[in-house]
Amino acid sequence: QKEVEQDPGPLSVPEGAIVSLNCTYSNSAFQYFMWYRQYSRKGPELLMYTYSSGNKEDGRFTAQVDKSSKYISLFIRDSQPSDSATYLCAMSEQTGNTPLVFGKGTRLSVIA
Amino acid sequence: ETGVTQTPRHLVMGMTNKKSLKCEQHLGHNAMYWYKQSAKKPLELMFVYNFKEQTENNSVPSRFSPECPNSSHLFLHLHTLQPEDSALYLCASSQDVQRGYTFGSGTRLTVV
């Protein structure tokens, strides 16, 4: 079983829809959880960062972590065409020198 | 600009060539990374430098050779590459290996 599983999509939604992106993981030692957004021909940029379980909201974006289910989500409200990108989840342990582990990324298209 | 600059943006090289990719960060970060991004695959970690010391080498073929002369600069020296090495090569930096990474825009490498 891969450490981090993420459905690659593609996911296509109409403008204004609520988008739900998800990742599952197997390593119970993961404590830091991140979402990156990657536009075409660009490097990934950090979108949301959470520690341990719970929710975090930033504008139209909400990140949720459910450590008991080993499941993280990113919700995008009122989606816009400018949200069209690939979204990658990433996570890491709290201690040690283990770098981030990334999911494959989900390609999202928001249609006007 | 993210604060991590990669050059060149595009590179086409023959299998017998030798070339180098360059990465520069002025964010005061202590850790720098090389990643390979191929279509439909997760980001593949290649090398990690923490305080200029290489801490991870994920079984990368010897035709890829990293160099970190100081905490702001990272190079990836390439020689006798194979066509399957064609990919987007991303450099990233972070304050420590568990936290959010800042990525450059990448070098799109094509091996012919």
Side-chain angles (χ1 to χ4, degrees):
Chain A
Q1 182 189 7
K2 295 186 178 67
E3 258 195 311
V4 178
E5 298 271 9
Q6 183 176 11
D7 186 340
L11 180 63
S12 186
V13 301
E15 184 176 358
I18 296 174
V19 177
S20 172
L21 304 168
N22 312 294
C23 287
T24 58
Y25 62 94
S26 57
N27 185 349
S28 57
F30 286 146
Q31 293 280 4
Y32 296 103
F33 302 91
M34 284 145 259
W35 286 95
Y36 284 81
R37 177 176 61 195
Q38 186 175 18
Y39 290 116
S40 182
R41 289 185 288 277
K42 295 279 190 180
E45 58 175 325
L46 183 62
L47 194 60
M48 298 286 281
Y49 178 99
T50 53
Y51 172 72
S52 195
S53 283
N55 294 359
K56 185 173 183 178
E57 191 172 322
D58 184 1
R60 295 184 295 110
F61 298 88
T62 300
Q64 283 187 355
V65 175
D66 181 349
K67 290 189 69 184
S68 61
S69 303
K70 298 192 180 70
Y71 188 87
I72 69 170
S73 301
L74 177 70
F75 296 97
I76 307 174
R77 290 185 299 280
D78 187 26
S79 56
Q80 303 294 310
S82 59
D83 296 326
S84 298
T86 297
Y87 291 80
L88 300 100
C89 63
M91 44 201 81
S92 67
E93 300 177 16
Q94 183 168 7
T95 59
N97 278 324
T98 309
L100 292 184
V101 179
F102 284 85
K104 280 188 181 180
T106 299
R107 189 168 177 180
L108 171 68
S109 293
V110 181
I111 310 301
Chain B
E1 277 299 333
T2 63
V4 177
T5 303
Q6 289 187 245
T7 54
R9 292 295 305 274
H10 301 275
L11 178 61
V12 179
M13 58 187 289
M15 289 191 284
T16 58
N17 291 160
K18 287 185 181 181
K19 295 285 184 185
S20 295
L21 309 185
K22 181 182 176 183
C23 177
E24 189 172 350
Q25 61 96 2
H26 295 289
L27 300 170
H29 287 166
N30 298 314
M32 296 186 77
Y33 315 81
W34 281 116
Y35 278 89
K36 176 183 178 183
Q37 189 174 38
S38 306
K40 298 182 181 176
K41 285 187 178 181
L43 281 171
E44 297 174 53
L45 178 65
M46 299 176 73
F47 301 104
V48 179
Y49 278 84
N50 203 7
F51 292 95
K52 298 191 303 174
E53 298 296 320
Q54 185 176 314
T55 59
E56 190 137 344
N57 172 350
N58 273 3
S59 303
V60 179
S62 59
R63 57 186 184 269
F64 295 92
S65 174
E67 179 189 0
C68 187
N70 55 60
S71 58
S72 299
H73 294 85
L74 186 64
F75 295 89
L76 187 63
H77 304 298
L78 316 171
H79 66 97
T80 58
L81 294 191
Q82 305 298 311
E84 60 264 28
D85 297 322
S86 300
L88 180 68
Y89 288 84
L90 289 160
C91 174
S93 71
S94 67
Q95 188 58 33
D96 59 67
V97 294
Q98 279 85 27
R99 307 300 179 99
Y101 297 177
T102 302
F103 283 87
S105 293
T107 295
R108 175 66 63 183
L109 174 67
T110 304
V111 181
V112 297

